[in-house]
């Protein structure tokens, strides 16, 4: 079946530091990959997505590249801000999973001024 | 606000009582999902509707849980004879018609259930 593995958190960084949150997946079929973000007190919202191998999704300075050879979709940002403090979820969607989004456990990011 | 709406936002109930949650998806979204989320975990799939048809249900889902989506619009999730282990955030999400693999899910803010 489908599964998503994310690095354990929390990730604690100083403002302007470089961010990487690792995500690897197992899927049947050809999945689409997503990063969602959950700010305190709010619902999950889409951050970025990529629907085929070698695609790069980007939004708000965040990027992730769909790497089929390593089954990975790592999230990166060159310079984090305090306002980026949130929980980040990697997710996939595939025909092999009946088109039901499968989520990782989430990685908490804390950015200090 | 045209986002996914969930009610109530919070529910405290005594063990053994029944509870019902409501989800209003984004208008014209034909796919609707229910998830459960506990502290430090990602959303765990419960059940999925396409229009009014319940197409998938998690094997882990107890038969105390039931969901409906009459007329393919709003959905309800009922938990009978609640147990303390049912305490969690219950999330609803919807997604539109179209190319399934290119469409993300839109989430509500969730209903937090506490069973005492």
């Amino acid at each position: 079946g489908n599964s998503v593995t994310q690095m354990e958190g929390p990730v604690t960084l100083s403002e302007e530091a470089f961010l990487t949150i690792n995500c690897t997946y197992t899927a049947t079929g050809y999945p689409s990959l997503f990063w969602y973000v959950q700010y305190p007190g709010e619902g999950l919202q889409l951050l970025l997505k990529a629907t085929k191998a070698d695609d790069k999704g980007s939004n708000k300075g965040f990027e992730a590249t769909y790497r089929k050879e390593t089954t990975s979709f790592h999230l990166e940002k060159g310079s984090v801000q305090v306002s980026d403090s949130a929980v980040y979820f990697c997710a996939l969607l595939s025909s092999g999973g009946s088109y039901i989004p499968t989520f990782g456990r989430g990685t908490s990011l804390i950015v200090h001024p | 606000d045209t986002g996914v709406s969930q009610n109530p936002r919070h529910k405290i109930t005594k063990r053994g009582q029944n509870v019902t949650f409501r989800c209003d998806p984004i208008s014209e979204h034909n796919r609707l999902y229910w998830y459960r989320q506990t502290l430090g975990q990602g959303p765990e799939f419960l059940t999925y509707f396409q229009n009014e048809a319940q197409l998938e249900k998690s094997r882990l889902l107890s038969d105390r849980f039931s969901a409906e989506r009459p007329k393919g619009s709003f959905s309800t999730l009922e938990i009978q004879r609640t147990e303390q282990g049912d305490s969690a955030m219950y999330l609803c999400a919807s997604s539109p018609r179209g190319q399934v693999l290119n469409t993300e899910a839109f989430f509500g803010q969730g209903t937090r259930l506490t069973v005492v």
Side-chain angles (χ1 to χ4, degrees):
Chain A
N2 293 345
S3 67
V4 176
T5 302
Q6 286 183 240
M7 62 187 288
E8 292 268 349
V11 173
T12 304
L13 295 172
S14 297
E15 207 164 23
E16 299 183 3
F18 183 85
L19 168 70
T20 300
I21 299 178
N22 290 338
C23 171
T24 57
Y25 66 89
T26 302
T28 52
Y30 297 93
S32 294
L33 301 173
F34 304 82
W35 277 100
Y36 287 80
V37 60
Q38 186 173 31
Y39 298 103
E42 298 185 14
L44 276 78
Q45 56 188 274
L46 179 72
L47 179 61
L48 54 83
K49 66 183 178 183
T51 58
K52 61 183 187 295
D54 300 325
D55 269 3
K56 178 185 284 187
S58 60
N59 186 25
K60 300 181 181 179
F62 290 89
E63 293 182 338
T65 301
Y66 186 157
R67 300 287 188 200
K68 186 178 178 184
E69 63 276 13
T70 55
T71 61
S72 64
F73 193 54
H74 304 320
L75 182 68
E76 297 182 335
K77 187 174 185 183
S79 176
V80 294
Q81 305 300 312
V82 172
S83 58
D84 293 327
S85 298
V87 182
Y88 293 81
F89 295 91
C90 186
L92 69 83
L93 189 61
S94 79
S95 60
S98 302
Y99 301 109
I100 296 168
T102 299
F103 289 84
R105 63 183 297 161
T107 302
S108 175
L109 171 65
I110 301 169
V111 181
H112 295 293
Chain B
D1 186 12
T2 57
V4 177
S5 176
Q6 291 189 246
N7 288 286
R9 293 290 308 279
H10 303 274
K11 178 71 177 178
I12 300 174
T13 190
K14 292 184 178 179
R15 190 173 50 189
Q17 298 293 305
N18 299 343
V19 294
T20 300
F21 310 140
R22 178 178 170 124
C23 171
D24 287 272
I26 294 172
S27 179
E28 298 182 356
H29 278 195
N30 66 328
R31 290 190 288 272
L32 186 147
Y33 311 88
W34 284 99
Y35 288 85
R36 177 171 58 194
Q37 187 179 20
T38 53
L39 194 63
Q41 299 297 316
E44 174 193 21
F45 169 71
L46 295 179
T47 191
Y48 159 57
F49 290 85
Q50 186 165 308
N51 301 310
E52 67 275 9
Q54 188 175 20
L55 297 186
E56 290 280 340
K57 190 173 175 181
S58 170
R59 290 191 299 273
L60 303 176
L61 199 61
S62 160
D63 57 9
R64 296 183 296 105
F65 287 68
S66 62
E68 293 182 339
R69 192 183 182 195
K71 302 179 183 178
S73 56
F74 72 92
S75 176
T76 58
L77 177 69
E78 181 183 17
I79 309 174
Q80 298 182 324
R81 304 181 303 282
T82 52
E83 302 173 356
Q84 287 190 321
D86 297 331
S87 296
M89 180 75 85
Y90 289 84
L91 303 175
C92 177
S94 67
S95 62
R97 305 172 191 276
Q99 291 188 324
V100 177
L101 289 177
N102 197 32
T103 53
E104 70 269 25
F106 293 78
F107 280 82
Q109 290 187 288
T111 295
R112 181 169 295 283
L113 173 66
T114 303
V115 181
V116 298

